[in-house]
Amino acid sequence: MLNIVLFGPPGAGKGTQAEKLQEKYGILHLSTGEVIRGEIGRGTELGKLAAEQMEGGKLASDELVLGIIAKYIEEHKSAPGVIFDGFPRTLPQAEAFDRMLDEAGTKVTVMLALEVPDEVVTERILTRGKTSGRADDQSIDTIRNRIEVYKKQTAVVADYYKKAGKFRAVDGVGTIDEIFGRLCAAIDALR
């Protein structure tokens, strides 16, 4: 199984690149944000719980997110691999994720970290906000806060995978195709 943790700050281009990687390598793409928004939109019990937890801009709890991931792994055991986009986002999630994969008889193959300067991700998010309609993509203060939360809470996950020898930094600046080429080169070097 080719299990990729696609990592980087908000606006790094993870979703765009995950779609291209999914197509090239024939593996699944799991965006935890999209799954959670989908559950909320359908009004499921999981969605109601997530909506309550995320009220006021808070993050969904580790327990809730891990439950979503565990369900996904169980339902897709026979997949050739998965791109995990936006997960794990905390050290406890990364540790629990590794245990979960181990129990399923697989493991994280690599963490590909898109490295993009703050000013570039800020501009990308503002541009996306003009077309997406997402309010959180249209406020500079909100964007800066998301970047700071990423640095304080999420960036430590990269250290976890560095220690495991599974971390690969990828320059996330350039055209979509240039960045895609760098990601593919990192994946192909593992095979």
Side-chain angles (χ1 to χ4, degrees), residues 17-191:
Q17 294 299 332
E19 288 175 15
K20 292 177 72 66
L21 292 169
Q22 177 183 17
E23 186 176 319
K24 177 175 172 89
Y25 293 99
I27 57 180
L28 302 176
H29 170 213
L30 173 65
S31 165
T32 51
E34 284 181 25
V35 171
I36 290 171
R37 285 188 291 276
E39 295 285 338
I40 291 170
R42 287 190 302 279
T44 66
E45 288 304 313
L46 190 62
K48 290 174 188 170
L49 181 59
E52 286 174 23
Q53 290 181 4
M54 295 167 62
E55 201 171 293
K58 298 177 192 143
L59 295 173
S61 70
D62 284 353
E63 182 180 68
L64 176 69
V65 175
L66 287 166
I68 290 169
I69 299 297
K71 180 180 171 192
Y72 188 88
I73 290 169
E74 179 63 30
E75 291 172 352
H76 298 89
K77 283 185 200 175
S78 60
V82 180
I83 301 163
F84 294 92
D85 168 5
F87 179 85
R89 68 170 196 267
T90 66
L91 187 56
Q93 281 183 4
E95 293 167 343
F97 182 49
D98 278 354
R99 286 190 301 273
M100 203 182 299
L101 289 176
D102 189 48
E103 288 170 13
T106 188
K107 61 185 181 340
V108 168
T109 307
V110 66
M111 169 188 268
L112 297 174
L114 290 169
E115 298 191 333
V116 185
D118 292 355
E119 61 275 6
V120 174
V121 295
T122 300
E123 186 57 39
R124 285 181 184 175
I125 294 170
L126 286 170
T127 300
R128 180 177 73 189
K130 291 175 186 171
T131 57
S132 73
R134 283 179 51 179
D136 62 333
D137 283 351
Q138 298 174 28
S139 162
I140 293 229
D141 290 337
T142 301
I143 293 167
R144 286 185 181 141
N145 184 54
R146 287 166 59 196
I147 292 169
E148 285 309 306
V149 167
Y150 166 79
K151 288 178 180 177
K152 289 177 185 166
Q153 296 180 11
T154 308
V156 295
V157 177
D159 292 334
Y160 175 78
Y161 286 105
K162 280 178 188 172
K163 288 177 186 169
K166 296 181 179 190
F167 176 89
R168 303 289 182 278
V170 177
D171 181 1
V173 178
T175 68
I176 290 170
D177 288 339
E178 288 170 343
I179 298 163
F180 180 64
R182 292 179 202 131
L183 289 166
C184 292
I187 293 167
D188 294 345
L190 298 170
R191 296 178 148 206

